[in-house]
Every structure is written in C-alpha cells, then in structure tokens.
Amino acid sequence: MQGPEPSEAEINVTFERALDKALNSQQVKDALDRSAALDREQLRTRALRARAAITGAAAVEYRAFLEVRAAAATSGRDDEVGLHRTGARGGGGLLPLLAVLVPGVAAAAAAALLVSGYGLRAFGGRLHVADGLITAGVIAAVVTAGVLIGDLVHVLVAAARNRSDDPADPQDGPAQDLPRAREEWELALLERGVIPFLLGRLEEATVTGRGGRRPR
C-alpha cells in the first residue's frame, strides 16, 4: 500500500520536540556540566543543522508510522461508506411512516366495523347489514394482525442484517495502532538519533579542548 508522502513540517515539529526532551534529559545535562566547550544553545544549534542526518536514524520507524496512518485513513473511509450504505438500507421517507400508519388505520377500521355491526344487531337493526359489518370488521382485524406480524418479522430481519453489516470497532483496526506507531517513531528518534548526536558532539568538543586526544 502506498502511504502518504513524508511531511517536512511534521518531521520538523517532532524533531524539535525530541531535541528539547533530549536537552532536558539528565544524561545530556550531566554531559553539559562536564563540558566547558559547548553550552546548551550551541549544542542545540549543531543539532538543528544536522537535522536530516539525525532523523535518518529513525527512518524505519517513520515509514512504519506512515504506513499505519495510511491504513487507518483507508479504514476510516471504508467505515464511512459502510455507514452510508447501512443508512440507505435502513431507509427514511414513507416506508417507516406507512409501517406505523397501516396497522393503526386497519385496527381503527376493524374496531369501527365491529362496533357498528354489533350495535345494529343489539338494537334490532337490519341483521344482514349488521352481519356484513361484523364480517368486514373480522376481516380488517385479521389484516391488522397480519400486518403487525409482517412488521415484526421485518424489524427482526433488519436488526440481524445491521448487526452483521456493522463495521468493525475502530479500536480493533489500524486506528488503534496509530498512536503506538507514532510513539515508536518518536522514541527511536530520541534514543537512536538525538541523544547519541548530542553526546557525541559534547565528547568531540571535550576531546578538542584537551588537545585533540581522546581519553584512554
């Protein structure tokens, strides 16, 4: 997978943060106290001039970080597409409204027909009309029950489908690995790049101050 191009600004910000952390480390502070040839600002200036060489010490970790970030971005786009598709399947518009209105209207019609039919029969009205209303009411009640059962089945099927189509938890994917990859890059930059460079320059300055001979 082709990762994003390295960002010079990102590298610079991370390098300067690592440089400040290294200069404040006890190891470098002790070396500065033992050296009279360089002070903190001179050491910082030398490190800034050698930024490209120092960051190269953590090139492997930086490339791994870029690859993880690219994977996380791709995974995020895929999850977004999945959510849009799920929303489209879930649907809006008239279908949910009809699913609520149809059973309600059918139930109201069934109740009205049954009440009217039994009312006519109770008051000695036209029996054939009453029987017709009762029959229509029973049919409407059966239709209402059928619609309710169908809606229930639809809801259960849709819920099962949504569970199976849910995107993976982002904590289980590349997004979880991204902070760790950045931390590994910054740690490698600090421990294999910046601190060894600073200590090396201090040692060189100390040797030069002693006449160019390294202590045995």
Side-chain angles (χ1 to χ4, degrees), residues 54-151:
I54 296 173
T55 55
V60 173
E61 287 78 9
Y62 182 57
R63 176 55 58 181
F65 164 67
L66 292 180
E67 291 176 355
V68 172
R69 185 170 64 182
T74 301
S75 176
R77 287 193 295 270
D78 291 343
D79 290 345
E80 184 177 356
V81 170
L83 289 174
H84 285 313
R85 289 176 179 172
T86 302
R89 282 197 301 270
L94 292 177
L95 288 180
L97 182 60
L98 290 176
V100 174
L101 289 179
V102 169
V105 172
L113 291 171
L114 290 173
V115 169
S116 299
Y118 283 112
L120 285 175
R121 177 174 287 185
F123 290 105
R126 299 178 180 180
L127 294 181
H128 64 282
V129 175
D131 290 341
L133 291 174
I134 293 173
T135 300
V138 171
I139 293 174
V142 172
V143 170
T144 301
V147 171
L148 289 175
I149 293 174
D151 287 346

Side-chain angles (χ1 to χ4, degrees), residues 176-190:
Q176 183 187 25
D177 298 332
L178 188 59
R180 183 168 62 249
R182 172 177 279 278
E183 182 180 355
E184 290 175 354
W185 167 44
E186 294 183 357
L187 186 62
L189 179 61
L190 177 67

